[in-house]
Amino acid sequence: MPSSLSVSPVLRNLTYVVDGNPRKTELHGGSDFGGYPSLKQRNDSFDIRESMTVHCGFVKGNKPGHHTGFDIDEADLMELQQFHEVIVASAIFGNYDIIQQPKNISEESRRTVPFYMFVDEETEAYMKNSSVLDSSMKVGLWRIIVVHNIPYNDSRRNGKVPKLLLHRILPNVQYSIWIDGKLQLVVDPYQVLERFLWSQNANFAISRHYRRFDVFEEAEANKAAGKYDNASIDYQIEFYKSEGLTPYSDAKFPITSDVPEGCVIIREHVPITNLFGCLWFNEVDRFTSRDQLSFSTVRDKIMKKVKWSIDMFLDCERRNFVIQAYHRDLLEHMPSPVASVIRGRPSLNHYSLTGRTPVKDTRRNRRFSARHHRKSVAGTRNKQAISQARKFYLISNYAT
């Protein structure tokens, strides 16, 4: 672990807009929670200076989570104000996912690294009714933080608040690992930070999308999958085109992709990465909640002004430290798995296939046993093939 934080290029002092009565002055996008920054304010926020004040959610108050929308109980707010070198955070809103317990966590991390899971009241009620959550507000390693007065009707958009604005909710944290609620962390947090930040001399890391590199292709995939209404996606892409967005090509190298697999974010909390989180959130607030569509626009606008880049590692590397589970709705609609019989190793003495009566070791019995063995093996192989095909079908459809 580095002995000191990275130096933030150019930007040293970042503060945030407070507006107790935000008003919409333009036709498209924005929210009371985000403060409706105008297009001029948006453009000014990409002009990186030593001291900046930008919109960054929570505009109705000086203390995020206290009468600002996305409100948090006072006891939890006090906990979130504490200093921590490293934290892990996630969220489940709309009871959309099943909480996943981290594995392979060292004793040092268990002692020093808090695991915060943000949930809304709907998810909290389900967890209590199903006896997953009790008065301790702990589920395994996760400390459950209940959010009240959520700012959006869309659970996915609410999930973008802690995901992109973690530096506002936890202002005294040095390093954070964000994982979506559907993921299970299976590698110690310190090892993840060492691999993707410290050894790379990076302060922001995110994996590339497993299939797509181009924002235009990502937009079409989102439309085909019904991730958001097509008109809003088209409006956002046309807006970015008017600002100069072009399809991804090798000419953009050393940038390796314009589309992240945004379910994991690893970052050091310094002014430039905090600014990136603010401006990325502002795009999600103004346009669609599909953060993959706005990622490269924010990244490239900042990179034009300062010497800074994002470590975009391969998605197969991400899969080495988080395991993806199914969303709750997919799990509930899956057919029940067919029960299978697992047979133990046969005994070494000469017993019949039933294991009850000894049989004579005659040539006839040996021929019978051989024929039966071949049929059994063939049947087992067929069952295994069917099972593998079923798993592949489910995984393929889920990935699509």
Side-chain angles (χ1 to χ4, degrees), residues 374-389:
R374 286 194 295 271
K375 290 179 181 178
S376 297
V377 170
T380 301
R381 287 174 178 167
N382 287 337
K383 288 178 182 178
Q384 290 174 344
I386 292 170
S387 177
Q388 290 171 354

Side-chain angles (χ1 to χ4, degrees), residues 28-189:
H28 192 81
S31 67
D32 280 358
F33 178 76
Y36 303 107
S38 66
L39 283 175
K40 183 181 184 308
Q41 289 172 318
R42 172 187 179 270
N43 294 335
D44 287 345
S45 68
F46 290 108
D47 183 17
I48 313 301
R49 303 174 297 279
E50 184 174 352
S51 295
M52 298 178 64
T53 299
V54 299
H55 285 79
C56 196
F58 303 102
V59 298
K60 292 184 179 180
N62 290 306
K63 187 178 182 181
H66 183 71
H67 301 304
T68 58
F70 206 86
D71 294 332
I72 298 171
D73 294 335
E74 195 63 35
D76 287 330
L77 279 178
M78 291 179 64
E79 163 66 21
L80 297 174
Q81 296 288 319
Q82 300 301 310
F83 171 79
H84 295 289
E85 289 181 333
V86 176
I87 65 103
V88 177
S90 185
I92 299 175
F93 290 98
N95 197 26
Y96 196 58
D97 292 299
I98 297 173
I99 193 167
Q100 305 292 320
Q101 282 303 319
K103 294 173 60 176
N104 306 315
I105 306 302
S106 67
E107 288 302 319
E108 176 69 12
S109 290
R110 289 173 182 270
R111 185 178 64 86
T112 62
V113 178
F115 289 72
Y116 296 122
M117 174 68 70
F118 297 90
V119 304
D120 57 3
E121 293 172 348
E122 177 186 352
T123 306
E124 178 200 19
Y126 178 87
M127 294 170 72
K128 285 184 174 179
N129 291 337
S130 57
S131 300
V132 173
L133 183 64
D134 58 23
S135 59
S136 70
M137 300 305 287
K138 291 271 291 186
V139 179
L141 286 178
W142 294 106
R143 173 165 177 164
I144 307 302
I145 308 292
V146 181
V147 179
H148 312 282
N149 190 23
I150 50 178
Y152 304 105
N153 294 324
D154 178 4
S155 294
R156 285 192 175 98
R157 196 185 291 271
N158 286 318
K160 299 301 188 285
V161 176
K163 177 178 180 177
L164 304 181
L165 304 183
L166 204 56
H167 60 285
R168 298 224 59 196
I169 302 171
L170 293 114
N172 298 309
V173 165
Q174 290 185 339
Y175 299 95
S176 67
I177 300 172
W178 168 269
I179 61 173
D180 280 2
K182 64 186 176 184
L183 299 180
Q184 179 187 34
L185 182 67
V186 295
V187 171
D188 189 81

Side-chain angles (χ1 to χ4, degrees), residues 242-380:
S242 70
E243 292 192 317
L245 176 68
T246 59
Y248 180 82
S249 69
D250 291 342
K252 293 190 176 184
F253 191 82
I255 292 173
T256 53
S257 175
D258 283 346
V259 182
E261 183 60 57
C263 56
V264 172
I265 297 176
I266 309 162
R267 64 171 174 162
E268 180 182 12
H269 290 219
V270 292
I272 195 68
T273 61
N274 294 343
L275 176 68
F276 179 82
C278 292
L279 303 189
W280 193 6
F281 174 80
N282 291 345
E283 297 299 291
V284 169
D285 189 49
R286 175 181 290 272
F287 297 109
T288 73
S289 62
R290 306 306 297 168
D291 53 30
Q292 297 97 327
L293 301 181
S294 50
F295 168 82
S296 65
T297 290
V298 179
R299 177 200 63 190
D300 294 350
K301 284 178 176 291
I302 293 177
M303 287 176 60
K304 285 181 180 179
K305 295 292 185 177
V306 297
K307 188 177 181 181
W308 178 75
S309 62
I310 289 173
D311 176 22
M312 295 191 72
F313 53 91
L314 292 169
D315 188 61
C316 59
E317 295 180 84
R318 174 186 67 84
R319 294 168 189 261
N320 284 337
F321 67 91
V322 288
I323 295 175
Q324 183 164 310
Y326 293 106
H327 291 304
R328 183 185 297 280
D329 58 346
L330 286 171
L331 286 171
E332 290 174 349
H333 289 87
M334 279 185 181
S336 300
V338 178
S340 60
V341 177
I342 302 175
R343 300 186 183 278
R345 183 186 296 274
S347 59
L348 295 178
N349 53 354
H350 298 294
Y351 280 82
S352 69
L353 294 172
T354 63
R356 293 176 181 171
T357 55
V359 294
K360 295 180 179 179
D361 190 14
T362 63
R363 183 175 300 176
R364 179 179 178 275
N365 285 329
R366 288 198 299 272
R367 288 199 301 270
F368 170 79
S369 298
R371 288 197 302 272
H372 188 91
H373 174 71
R374 286 194 295 271
K375 290 179 181 178
S376 297
V377 170
T380 301

